[in-house]
């Protein structure tokens, strides 16, 4: 895999971690500005994931999940940027579904890393399950989620960003297995 593809993935992880920290540090202002900020970061993350998917081609297991995540991120980014005031009102439910599906996707992809012997596959699984759990919590009680949305969003985005960093290490393992160096 090209180094640039790994850079796109790390960039996505960095942006997600930064956004998570911003959400946790600015709880009062987050809901009003979150739709716009998340729109930009989701769009950039989706484009980076799409570029990663295109660069990988058919050489990586779980590539369909990467494409699904890229499309979801791009669509969420466009939606958030086009309707920031409306999105702010329904943000808890939108975010709950986004987090739930992203978490499930990450958890499923962790087993691809396990198959090639990547020792930290379980970390990706835990982060995916944690992300999905945050999504379920927000769906169960959207009113409480509206009050605590910055906490859910901040932690979820940080987990997702860190998962990308770990996945880059896993991709390096995939490459070594494919090249027969292990």
């Amino acid at each position: 895999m090209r180094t640039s593809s790994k850079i796109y993935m790390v960039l996505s992880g960095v942006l997600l971690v930064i956004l998570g920290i911003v959400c946790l540090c600015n709880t009062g202002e987050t809901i009003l500005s979150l739709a716009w900020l998340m729109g930009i970061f989701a769009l950039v993350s989706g484009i980076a994931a799409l570029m990663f998917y295109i660069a990988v081609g058919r050489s990586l297991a779980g590539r369909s999940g990467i494409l699904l995540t890229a499309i979801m991120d791009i669509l969420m980014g466009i939606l958030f940027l086009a309707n920031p005031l409306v999105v702010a009102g329904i943000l808890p439910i939108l975010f709950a579904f986004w987090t739930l599906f992203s978490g499930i996707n990450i958890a499923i992809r962790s087993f691809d890393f396990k198959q090639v012997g990547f020792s930290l596959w379980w970390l990706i699984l835990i982060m995916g399950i944690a992300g999905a759990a945050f999504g379920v919590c927000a769906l169960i009680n959207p009113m409480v989620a509206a009050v605590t949305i910055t906490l859910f969003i901040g932690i979820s985005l940080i987990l997702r960003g860190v998962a990308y960093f770990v996945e880059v290490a896993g991709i390096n393992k995939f490459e070594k297995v494919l090249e027969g160096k292990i």
Side-chain angles (χ1 to χ4, degrees), residues 42-43 45-51 53 63-79 98 102 105 160 164:
L43 190 59
S45 177
I47 291 169
L50 183 61
M51 293 172 82
Y53 171 82
R63 63 189 174 278
S64 297
I66 295 168
L67 179 60
L68 176 64
T69 299
I71 291 169
M72 275 190 345
D73 286 356
I74 290 169
L75 291 176
M76 291 301 286
I78 291 169
L79 176 68
W98 184 30
S102 293
N105 189 355
R160 188 170 171 200
Y164 280 4

Side-chain angles (χ1 to χ4, degrees), residues 112-162:
D112 294 330
F113 291 101
K114 181 182 179 183
Q115 285 182 331
V116 297
F118 180 57
S119 63
L120 296 177
W121 70 271
W122 57 270
L123 188 57
I124 298 168
L125 175 65
I126 289 171
M127 285 185 260
I129 291 170
F134 281 121
V136 169
C137 290
L139 278 174
I140 289 172
N141 194 340
M143 295 309 287
V144 170
V147 174
T148 60
I149 192 74
T150 56
L151 193 72
F152 283 115
I153 291 172
I155 292 170
S156 168
L157 291 170
I158 290 169
L159 288 173
R160 188 170 171 200
V162 171

Side-chain angles (χ1 to χ4, degrees), residues 1-13:
M1 175 184 306
R2 295 182 191 149
T3 301
S4 63
S5 298
K6 293 176 191 174
I7 291 171
Y8 296 137
M9 205 164 174
V10 169
L11 176 63
S12 293

Side-chain angles (χ1 to χ4, degrees), residues 80-103:
F80 282 33
L81 289 171
N83 303 297
L85 293 175
V86 173
V87 171
I90 59 171
L91 188 59
I93 294 169
L94 288 174
F95 181 75
F97 280 113
W98 184 30
T99 303
L100 174 64
F101 293 124
S102 293

